[in-house]
Amino acid sequence: MSLCHPDVGNVSCGACCGLFNLKLQPKEFKTLLLERTSEFQTTVNFEVRHSFPIFRKERETKEAHIPKKDDMTYNCPFLGYVDPTKQRIGCMIHPIFTGDPKSQNFSFYGASICQAYDCKNKESILADLWESLFVEMAKDSVEYSFLSADHIFVSALEKFFQFVNISMDRLFQEFRLEVMDLFRTRLLTSAEKNLTSFEINYDNFPDLNALEDYFTKELGEYWKDWREGMIKKNPG
Ligand code: SF4
Ligand code: SF4
């Protein structure tokens, strides 16, 4: 289907609905999503219009105590689990479930924004290749969302491979395991970041020095070891 909802695997992304703006640990995100889903399933009736805003209000009140990373970023409570096994996350009021093309108007953003938004990673010409790599390595939808929304990190990594003259084909094949290792390290601190997918990349990484600064800031000493390993494998 798309980076948001891959055809294969049991994971999906919901980062742009504001989930990671909440200061929670990965396990707590799952608990919150399960709570929302179960409350939604027991209180919202698609035939009863006012059950949508009541659910929204109730959840906003219940979640108001959770500290936020950025007070200006909204956390939509309609994001929950959308499959029977509660593994894939997504919009519980998406028209494919409600049958109403405008049902997302019950949310803060409204149907036109919810349906038109595509993040940078989803728009990328490499989206399918990143999707397959992230599906392969993510153990659940929270991890998959961290990976899929992290467009600045992805863009920096693509630039790094370009600067060291390694093609994108080789990145996804020959260097697949190394790239996965890098993202696994990234995942150790992803929960601390407010990954919404709409962060602005102010630094366009014009050269290797800029990338070096960025990756050292994001990954610490691990970056140097990883880069040296890459150079050994590709001395060219
Ligand atoms: S952050 Fe990107 S990949 Fe994730 S749900 Fe939003 S548009 Fe899709
Ligand atoms: S209503 Fe919009 S913001 Fe809320 S979960 Fe659905 S798509 Fe995301």
Side-chain angles (χ1 to χ4, degrees):
M1 283 189 281
S2 70
L3 185 65
C4 316
H5 286 275
D7 278 328
V8 295
N10 283 318
V11 290
S12 58
C13 177
C16 54
C17 304
L19 182 66
F20 300 137
N21 186 35
L22 299 171
K23 280 192 190 165
L24 294 173
Q25 292 307 306
K27 258 192 189 165
E28 297 172 313
F29 284 121
K30 286 183 223 167
T31 306
L32 178 75
L33 288 164
L34 284 169
E35 275 173 22
R36 284 181 184 168
T37 309
S38 131
E39 187 167 331
F40 183 86
Q41 288 172 346
T42 50
T43 62
V44 176
N45 178 344
F46 293 157
E47 308 301 317
V48 182
R49 308 287 287 172
H50 64 263
S51 65
F52 291 76
I54 290 174
F55 169 84
R56 175 177 157 186
K57 184 89 190 85
E58 288 282 319
R59 285 308 314 177
E60 284 174 347
T61 307
K62 283 179 186 163
E63 295 178 22
H65 71 283
I66 304 174
K68 290 183 174 200
K69 293 165 189 159
D70 169 15
D71 282 334
M72 301 305 286
T73 303
Y74 181 70
N75 313 99
C76 183
F78 289 113
L79 184 78
Y81 286 104
V82 291
D83 64 335
T85 57
K86 298 193 173 56
Q87 293 185 78
R88 281 178 176 255
I89 59 181
C91 176
M92 297 188 287
I93 57 169
H94 191 281
I96 57 168
F97 303 120
T98 61
D100 171 2
K102 301 278 185 212
S103 48
Q104 286 155 320
N105 279 341
F106 287 111
S107 75
F108 171 82
Y109 290 116
S112 53
I113 293 177
C114 292
Q115 288 170 37
Y117 179 73
D118 282 335
C119 71
K120 291 237 181 295
N121 280 349
K122 187 182 176 188
E123 281 177 337
S124 160
I125 51 165
L126 299 174
D128 289 349
L129 293 165
W130 284 119
E131 175 187 323
S132 131
L133 187 134
F134 294 155
V135 167
E136 193 178 327
M137 62 176 291
K139 71 171 190 302
D140 55 36
S141 288
V142 170
E143 272 197 9
Y144 181 79
S145 299
F146 282 140
L147 295 165
S148 299
D150 203 353
H151 72 94
I152 299 178
F153 193 87
V154 165
S155 152
L157 193 60
E158 289 174 3
K159 281 265 174 91
F160 173 78
F161 275 81
Q162 284 162 17
F163 283 133
V164 296
N165 293 318
I166 301 177
S167 70
M168 291 298 112
D169 280 349
R170 290 179 70 205
L171 181 162
F172 287 105
Q173 290 172 24
E174 200 180 325
F175 293 97
R176 194 171 187 84
L177 292 181
E178 285 80 2
V179 169
M180 283 191 186
D181 276 347
L182 192 78
F183 274 104
R184 281 206 183 90
T185 301
R186 174 63 165 175
L187 280 172
L188 298 176
T189 53
S190 296
E192 294 161 15
K193 301 178 192 306
N194 182 6
L195 292 172
T196 60
S197 84
F198 40 84
E199 322 52 78
I200 296 168
N201 185 8
Y202 291 106
D203 186 352
N204 219 11
F205 309 124
D207 51 37
L208 270 173
N209 284 339
L211 286 170
E212 192 65 25
D213 289 347
Y214 171 76
F215 282 120
T216 304
K217 177 168 71 72
E218 298 298 317
L219 301 172
E221 283 302 303
Y222 176 83
W223 165 251
K224 285 197 184 75
D225 296 342
W226 187 87
R227 176 177 35 69
E228 276 163 26
M230 286 290 298
I231 290 163
K232 266 190 208 145
K233 189 169 172 179
N234 186 61

